[in-house]
Amino acid sequence: MQAEDVLAEFRASKALLEGHFLLSSGRHSAHYLQCARVLMDPMRASRLAAALAATLPRDLRKDIAKVVAPAMGGVIIGHEMGRALGVEAMFVERPTGTFELRRGFALEPGEKVLMVEDVVTTGLSSREAIKAIEAAGGVVVAGASLVDRSGGTVDLGVPFYPLIALNFPTYADDEVPAELAAVPVTKPGSRAQP
């Protein structure tokens, strides 16, 4: 699947939004990818996951025993990646503010895990999820996401495989351009702001 095909999936599902958004990273943007919309069609989610799985080196795909995704945004793509790779998928969640495995999910000590996200901007949620996976005994062999919004700068501490890189500008609170600041802000992400 080429970048144009991926963007066509986002446009077809009305998942590429424009406005003023406060991202879960704490940064502001005039664009937001509502991955929940692109993933709400099971066939589209399956196609995107298959394309993402195909970006992983063959040897790495063979090593992955489990897929773990951070809730909420990563749950659907994590499940579909499990299907694409033929392994079980589970998720970490933040019942008290810190990611952890719950609901009877468990990892065997040393089990090789692929951590999957929907969108990565700063990598904070991904790194927090990786820390929780490691605390549960897993070994994260790679990270993957539908979209890399980091401009290629994200460092997860493991190899990272995005399906597409989109470089919409993002701004710190004190850098927001006047034209963007004039638009009411929407907070679409799942993580509480600092």
Side-chain angles (χ1 to χ4, degrees), residues 2 6 22 34 42 49 111 119 126 132 139 141 153-154 163 168 180 188:
Q2 300 297 316
V6 176
L22 181 58
Q34 183 53 270
E111 199 162 28
V119 178
S126 297
V139 174
V141 294
T153 63
V154 74
L163 182 56
F168 299 126
L180 185 56

Side-chain angles (χ1 to χ4, degrees), residues 15-162:
L16 180 53
L17 308 178
E18 294 184 358
H20 180 179
F21 304 98
L22 181 58
L23 306 175
S24 62
S25 65
R27 294 184 63 83
H28 296 255
S29 178
H31 297 90
Y32 185 75
L33 293 168
Q34 183 53 270
C35 285
R37 285 197 55 86
V38 79
L39 296 172
M40 71 183 195
D41 177 326
M43 297 309 293
R44 180 175 283 126
S46 179
R47 284 192 303 273
L48 290 168
L52 181 55
T55 69
L56 304 175
R58 178 171 289 154
D59 289 345
L60 178 63
R61 286 194 309 257
K62 287 189 229 173
D63 282 346
I64 296 166
K66 293 266 188 338
V67 170
V68 178
M72 270 302 298
V75 171
I76 295 172
I77 191 60
H79 182 268
E80 290 298 324
M81 282 296 288
R83 180 194 320 262
L85 295 169
V87 300
E88 292 181 335
M90 57 185 77
F91 55 89
V92 291
E93 56 190 310
R94 294 185 181 105
T96 60
T98 304
F99 278 131
E100 61 185 82
L101 288 173
R102 299 183 60 199
R103 304 172 193 268
F105 292 150
L107 296 168
E108 296 295 323
E111 199 162 28
K112 293 182 179 176
V113 175
L114 174 69
M115 188 285 308
V116 179
E117 278 266 36
D118 55 353
V119 178
V120 172
T121 302
T122 64
L124 178 60
S125 290
S126 297
R127 287 187 300 273
E128 290 173 350
I130 289 169
K131 183 177 175 183
I133 294 163
E134 292 170 344
V139 174
V140 179
V141 294
S145 72
L146 286 177
V147 180
D148 175 6
R149 282 192 58 155
S150 76
T153 63
V154 74
D155 180 3
L156 303 182
V158 295
F160 175 54
Y161 300 93

